[in-house]
Amino acid sequence: MMPGSNTTLSDMITGNFPAMGCERPPAMTVPPSVMLDRVIVVANQLPIKAARRPDNEGWSFSWDEDSLLLHIKDGFPDDMEVIYVGSLKVEVDSSEQEDVSQLLWDKFICVPAFLPPNILDKYYHGFCKQHIWPLFHYMLPFSASHGGQFDRSWWEAYLTANMIFSQKVIEVINPDYDYVWIHDYHLMALPTFLRRRFNRLRMGFFLHSPFPSSEIYRTLPVREEILKALLNSDLIGFHTFDYARHFLSCCSRMLGLEYQLRRGYIELEYYGRTVGIKIMPIGIHMGQIESVLTNADNQRIIEELQQQFMGKTVLLGVDDMDIFKGVNLKFLAMEEMLKQHPSLRGRAVLIQIANPARGKGKDLEEIQAEIQESFERINENFRQPGYEPIVFINRPVSLSERAAYYTIAECVVVTAVRDGMNLTPYEYIVCRQGSQAFESSSDSNAPKKSMLVASEFMGCSLSLSGAIRVNPWNIEATAEALNLAISMVDAEKQLRHEKHYKYVSTHDVAYWSRSFFQDLERTCKDHFRQRCWGIGFSFSFRVMALDPNFRKLSVDTIVSDYARSKSRAILLDYDGTVMPQTSINKNPSQEVISIINKLCGDVNNTVFVVSGRGKDSLGSWFSPCKKLGIAAEHGYFLRWSMDEKWETSGQNTDFDWIQLAEPIMKLYTEATDGSYIEAKESALVWHHQDADPDFGSSQAKEMLDHLESVLANEPVAVKSGQFIVEVKPQGVSKGIAAEKILRSMAENGRQVDFVLCIGDDRSDEDMFEVMGNAINSAILSNTSVFACTVGQKPSKAEYYLEDTAEVIRMLEALAVNSYPPPTEGLGARQVHSSDGSFNLREPQEANNEDLAPGGNFVLP
């Protein structure tokens, strides 16, 4: 926890933030009417270089030009202010932190997050580097000694660090005007902390590492917590579709969320909020590379290297010293090439630059020893006077020196076994293009060429279609790829280089940030129009976003309108409305039967159960309810009471199409484990809720296309729903059934003045749509309409109730205010309200309008 703070982990997770630390200039520095949008960029580290002054008195700071985060502002509007929040790469004593914070704010508009050393070690070197980094790169913890046992204290430190970052954001944010852009796996819990504090905050997240397949990700003990935290963002970005697809698969398998494609955009609906999924590989900063190429020091280094490797064919590798970069595999491929092609001995040279390791641990030490052993052995076997096949540069290399190596290299080799993006090939292509400002006229006319051998397991390989893609684990194939790259004719190298350079130069870091920000603006455009509130505890916290006109149904309001009305229609769905979806026993309870009988006993009421279930099941279950109307199989069969016959509502009764549809459904059922067919009298339904989520969804889409093609000339409709594909006669829906009921009542002189229509799933939306369209029409003129969905979710209904328990309580309140036909004259009437109280209404003089069929009085 933070020094000097009494904050506990439970406080932190539930959003009870401690008092803020050092003061900041207030976010509101100009009147709201002229307040400009700002972007707060949050990352693990600030794009700042820090060093102690020579006299050891204080610090000196400068921008880190090598940080891509510094250059993302190039893609923002010119008048947009950018604030950076992150930690420093150096440890600052607590006594200096306030002064350093003020200096960074005044000079750089940066807000440093100071992590206590014990938190930093567990957060970064523990959870980030020992749990998340390996797992996201497909390395499973096989045992406690291999891969590491999950350490709960590391997770708590990760949350603490994310909470500290959130405090720093909160210190400077103006949530009505600012955007927040969070970067990478270090801060995946941050969206929850910020969303809890600011429900309408416009917030994006970009993951710079791979996202693993669901089979790998599901091994993480805190898998759902991280998914839910990320979904508190408005836009989530990935480098490739593969990474996005894995994330969406995890959301489907673990949270039951399905994505939708809308006009080219991938979106998830999460409790009424739209969460966008962005696929956009990052680029490099072209200006920075080109400025390095024009530097005189760079030209001097190039000349020295050209002299050193004169007559040699240079292959180049530039990698972090990391267990996933495949450096040893690259060495082994170089060895294999020299074995298979002796003519290259003494001529082909692999220069390997190894940047310092960012992590630490046993695995890293082992891979470093393995690399060193291969390096020494290969050079020992193939060394010649004045020739070393591998030049291993195991030290930090500046961008200027790195650019010089790029310039002299015939081919760059990247054999990462798993990598999020890797911009080494991009830098190489720009350096091989050279700088027009510096080159002589003779050099500028020379054809530009470059070659890439790229692992298929890194993000950028998909963007560079001219690269020779390899599986680095296949040593022999990689060796042949190296030989092909350096022996390819110059004209082919030139064509590939031109194609690559055109892509890299137009898809730079400014293009990437501009594209992400535009999508973030689009995703958040309705934020301040929606009604939002937070629900849930810990990492189950999420924000509910609903249309301003969508509100919870007040029992008092509906009881009041119910009591005043004279002709009512009550239309009830069954499953998920009066019967919980999770219930195994689908028979209605005695409580439900009693309530429905009371409602049916009021002569002013026409009560219907409108369900997709078969008429035999519904008729049997509700046999005690003699006056209940039933619309079965989405209204294909309709019965006004138990004493009346079933009517059919389809346009025809020709069911020959079943002979065509059923064999197709059986074919998919046999091929899809966990699926089954439900045969109704009027429809066939294929269920796949128990199948593999991805495969079941894929099979459902394929079946839908198959059935639509085969049944194109048949009088049926093929519909997909939640885990179902249904074939039913045309002209059958709950909406049509509801309209038929209301129209029939009007034609029989029972014009309704009160309608309650309630359901929970997609098929019920047809009823809600009919109610909305019929308001103020001849069917529903001067009528109180209560279209109500079950559960807080986007709907065409205007009202909602939370669950079936609330539905039953509401119906019970109506039942209490329902009366059987009076038999001994009119007396004072009790009208009950939801709190159990009642008031008396004096009887009114009866007139002809008070008479119901049969001569019974209808109470006003």
Side-chain angles (χ1 to χ4, degrees), residues 84-316:
Y84 291 98
V85 176
S87 63
L88 292 168
K89 300 175 185 178
V90 296
E91 184 177 346
V92 178
D93 188 82
S94 57
S95 62
E96 301 176 293
Q97 289 178 3
E98 187 170 349
D99 292 337
V100 167
S101 296
Q102 198 63 50
L103 174 62
L104 289 175
W105 175 261
D106 294 339
K107 189 174 180 181
F108 300 97
I109 318 183
C110 290
V111 182
F114 299 108
L115 303 180
N118 63 319
I119 295 297
L120 176 62
D121 186 64
K122 290 183 177 181
Y123 149 72
Y124 184 77
H125 295 293
F127 191 77
C128 288
K129 287 301 182 182
Q130 298 299 314
H131 282 331
I132 294 295
W133 178 257
L135 189 75
F136 277 28
H137 288 75
Y138 286 71
M139 183 175 176
L140 284 173
F142 295 111
S143 66
S145 59
H146 185 86
Q149 183 178 355
F150 183 80
D151 191 327
R152 183 66 58 172
S153 68
W154 288 358
W155 167 243
E156 293 177 358
Y158 182 83
L159 296 182
T160 303
N162 277 249
M163 187 266 295
I164 293 173
F165 277 92
S166 74
Q167 290 176 325
K168 296 304 175 181
V169 173
I170 291 168
E171 289 178 13
V172 296
I173 195 170
N174 186 319
D176 292 335
Y177 297 95
D178 295 345
Y179 291 85
V180 176
W181 189 359
I182 303 167
H183 290 266
D184 223 0
Y185 62 94
H186 314 88
L187 301 173
M188 291 188 293
L190 183 56
T192 287
F193 289 112
L194 293 178
R195 184 66 68 193
R196 177 177 288 277
R197 191 65 177 262
F198 308 111
N199 288 351
R200 289 187 174 87
L201 181 63
R202 298 174 291 186
M203 176 167 48
F205 179 93
F206 197 93
L207 183 68
H208 293 268
S209 76
F211 195 93
S213 73
S214 60
E215 293 303 306
I216 300 292
Y217 180 79
R218 70 197 305 178
T219 64
L220 186 64
V222 290
R223 60 192 188 183
E224 291 185 5
E225 288 89 334
I226 289 177
L227 286 180
K228 291 176 180 178
L230 291 175
L231 288 170
N232 275 317
S233 305
D234 294 300
L235 183 65
I236 306 172
F238 301 91
H239 286 308
T240 72
F241 175 70
D242 271 352
Y243 305 159
R245 177 169 57 86
H246 294 158
F247 174 78
L248 293 170
S249 177
C250 289
C251 289
S252 172
R253 291 173 177 271
M254 297 169 204
L255 302 180
L257 302 176
E258 298 297 331
Y259 72 91
Q260 295 177 326
L261 287 171
R262 293 177 180 168
R263 297 184 179 273
Y265 296 104
I266 304 175
E267 296 178 347
L268 284 167
E269 287 295 327
Y270 188 57
Y271 291 95
R273 290 176 49 247
T274 297
V275 180
I277 303 298
K278 176 72 173 175
I279 301 167
M280 176 58 67
I282 197 172
I284 61 173
H285 188 249
M286 293 289 295
Q288 183 191 19
I289 302 294
E290 290 175 344
S291 67
V292 168
L293 294 175
T294 60
N295 189 287
D297 288 341
N298 176 261
Q299 294 302 314
R300 176 183 55 78
I301 298 172
I302 291 174
E303 292 171 1
E304 293 175 356
L305 292 176
Q306 287 174 335
Q307 184 68 29
Q308 179 182 350
F309 295 101
M310 184 178 295
K312 304 291 191 299
T313 300
V314 176
L315 297 97
L316 178 65

Side-chain angles (χ1 to χ4, degrees), residues 432-716:
R432 290 291 286 182
Q433 181 71 16
S435 170
Q436 299 294 334
F438 195 86
E439 291 177 342
S440 65
S441 59
S442 60
D443 291 337
S444 62
N445 294 324
K448 312 296 182 182
K449 60 184 188 294
S450 62
M451 280 304 299
L452 292 169
V453 175
S455 166
E456 63 190 49
F457 300 117
M458 62 181 193
C460 70
S461 68
L462 298 174
S463 304
L464 303 172
S465 56
I468 302 174
R469 297 194 185 101
V470 296
N471 173 4
W473 297 104
N474 189 335
I475 303 299
E476 294 78 10
T478 305
E480 286 305 313
L482 298 181
N483 178 59
L484 175 62
I486 60 180
S487 60
M488 188 177 290
V489 297
D490 286 352
E492 179 68 17
K493 292 180 180 179
Q494 182 181 352
L495 288 173
R496 294 182 184 229
H497 171 80
E498 289 174 354
K499 184 177 185 179
H500 289 164
Y501 182 74
K502 181 179 180 180
Y503 176 84
V504 172
S505 60
T506 55
H507 291 72
D508 60 357
V509 65
Y511 176 88
W512 169 75
S513 63
R514 185 184 309 113
S515 179
F516 186 91
F517 185 73
Q518 287 172 349
D519 275 16
L520 182 60
E521 284 185 309
R522 177 187 58 81
T523 305
C524 300
K525 68 181 185 300
D526 292 330
H527 266 31
F528 296 100
R529 186 185 67 84
Q530 295 175 312
R531 291 187 303 118
C532 299
W533 62 93
I535 58 175
F537 298 97
S538 185
F539 278 90
S540 292
F541 174 83
R542 64 273 189 199
V543 166
M544 187 73 62
L546 299 170
D547 189 273
N549 296 322
F550 189 65
R551 56 197 182 277
K552 188 167 185 176
L553 181 59
S554 166
V555 176
D556 286 339
T557 300
I558 193 171
V559 165
S560 176
D561 281 27
Y562 180 88
R564 288 196 302 268
S565 58
K566 298 180 180 181
S567 179
R568 314 181 190 106
I570 300 174
L571 310 179
L572 307 174
D573 176 41
Y574 185 64
D575 292 284
T577 302
V578 295
M579 171 59 63
Q581 290 281 14
T582 55
S583 178
I584 297 176
N585 181 7
K586 294 299 184 180
N587 292 322
S589 66
Q590 283 302 118
E591 180 186 20
V592 170
I593 294 293
S594 174
I595 291 172
I596 289 179
N597 269 329
K598 288 180 182 177
L599 292 172
C600 293
D602 192 322
V603 294
N604 292 338
N605 292 346
T606 298
V607 184
F608 264 84
V609 169
V610 185
S611 172
R613 287 192 173 272
K615 63 183 178 65
D616 291 339
S617 297
L618 293 173
S620 172
W621 290 341
F622 289 102
S623 58
C625 305
K626 308 299 182 182
K627 298 181 180 180
L628 174 67
I630 296 176
E633 298 190 19
H634 295 136
Y636 182 81
F637 295 104
L638 191 144
R639 186 179 73 183
W640 287 84
S641 70
M642 191 174 181
D643 296 333
E644 299 190 32
K645 294 183 179 180
W646 289 100
E647 306 171 10
T648 57
S649 302
Q651 294 177 355
N652 62 70
T653 56
D654 181 6
F655 289 96
D656 290 345
W657 56 265
I658 292 179
Q659 306 302 320
L660 299 173
E662 193 170 27
I664 296 173
M665 285 190 167
K666 285 183 177 179
L667 179 68
Y668 283 88
T669 302
E670 292 171 2
T672 311
D673 186 44
S675 65
Y676 65 94
I677 300 172
E678 178 189 3
K680 300 179 180 180
E681 290 188 50
S682 68
L684 290 176
V685 186
W686 186 72
H687 297 262
H688 62 93
Q689 63 264 33
D690 295 327
D692 176 271
D694 289 339
F695 185 57
S697 177
S698 174
Q699 289 288 79
K701 292 175 183 176
E702 182 68 24
M703 179 193 287
L704 187 70
D705 290 341
H706 195 165
L707 289 170
E708 285 179 340
S709 174
V710 172
L711 302 174
N713 296 321
E714 299 295 327
V716 296

